[in-house]
Amino acid sequence: MRVAAYERYGPPEVVAVAERPTPEPGAGEVRVRVHAASIGAADSAARSGTPWFARLAFGLRAPKRSVMGSDFAGIVDAIGPGVTRFAVGDRVFGATGVDAGGHAELLITPESSAIVALPAAVDMTDAAAICDGGLTALPFLRDGARVRPGMRVLVNGASGSVGAAAVQLAKHLGAEITAVCGPSHVELVRSLGADRVIDYTREDFTAARDAYDVIFDAVGKSTFRRCRRALSSGGTYLTTVPSWAIMLQQLTSKVGSRRAVIMFTGLRKDADKVPDLGELAALAASGAFRPPIEREVPLDDIAEGHRIVDTGHKAGSVVVRPVAADSRKAAS
Ligand SMILES: NC(=O)c1ccc[n+]([C@@H]2O[C@H](COP(=O)([O-])OP(=O)(O)OC[C@H]3O[C@@H](n4cnc5c(N)ncnc54)[C@H](OP(=O)(O)O)[C@@H]3O)[C@@H](O)[C@H]2O)c1
């Protein structure tokens, strides 16, 4: 089988297509022919080995795992002994988290991992993109901020994969949404359902006072300190990006009326991700959640996918399609 592999940290060019033996599923495992997998910020960190603390997870001197990619969608093409949840031919999608392995034609994963059936109404590319943003935005909004109908929610970085999911999921939860992005993405973000869009090159959202019950900084470009006064009393600041300040503030700010929250959604238990995947797929099938796709690339162009992610300005997700178009057609 073909995989996109890398052996050392570096720029996008360190990732290249390689041949590997066909993997066989063991007891309780399924083998998935991968039709789509996202290339996201976590892959960029795994590839470049930056920021430095990424190496604690990915390997201190060199990458521990040579194939990146967590969020995948595809078709089960073999099952190991004892598998009961899935059968050959099932359309599935999911997230392997730190185990990665999705940037390959074939992926082996336990049937007890974060993998669920994919509704016929959702295509493979959208399914991979759902995991990319939705599997992060949903727990942040629901568990981190406890978003309820009528709450005023601001999403910073609303055109990224997490931000675009957050706009749509917060809308679904009944919130009133203010979305912040750059000038080239204003129309896209409006189309996702934002009630108001702020172009960050023209307006500083942190200058507002008592304006939001939740500020979700999906790209970690602000700080709790800067956002604090824009929050209402009892409001919550969420950020996806760790810093010493936010770790400290998360501990200390519980004393005050406004909270700072950071979560590490990739580290959640698979058993917690499974129902979320089902919920996200149902929302996608109903049309309530449409993940934007910046670009799809074939496996041979994986480095180009990484380059787009590295710009920090993609709209939604970049998706690699490991299985060649002809084989995809034959399988569907
Ligand atoms: N803590 C966790 O569990 C967790 C989980 C997943 C991801 N993350 C982290 O979350 C972050 C976001 O991930 P992502 O996949 O959504 O990133 P992304 O898709 O690469 O974000 C790109 C978007 O960020 C926007 N952006 C860039 N600079 C901005 C600024 N100064 N102000 C506002 N928006 C700005 C861009 O909008 P314009 O092009 O319009 O400027 C672009 O659309 C990453 O750092 C990732 O590592 C954390």
Side-chain angles (χ1 to χ4, degrees), residues 136 156-157 159-162 182 185 200 218-219 240 263-265 312-314:
T136 292
N156 190 36
S159 45
S161 60
V162 176
H185 292 137
Y200 63 72
V219 284
T240 54
M263 298 168 77
F264 298 97
T265 54
H313 290 283
K314 66 182 170 66

Side-chain angles (χ1 to χ4, degrees), residues 33-36 104-106 299 320-328 331:
R33 187 160 287 273
V34 181
H35 286 230
E105 286 179 331
L106 296 168
L299 198 64
V320 62
R321 309 276 325 223
V323 175
D326 290 355
S327 317
R328 292 204 299 267

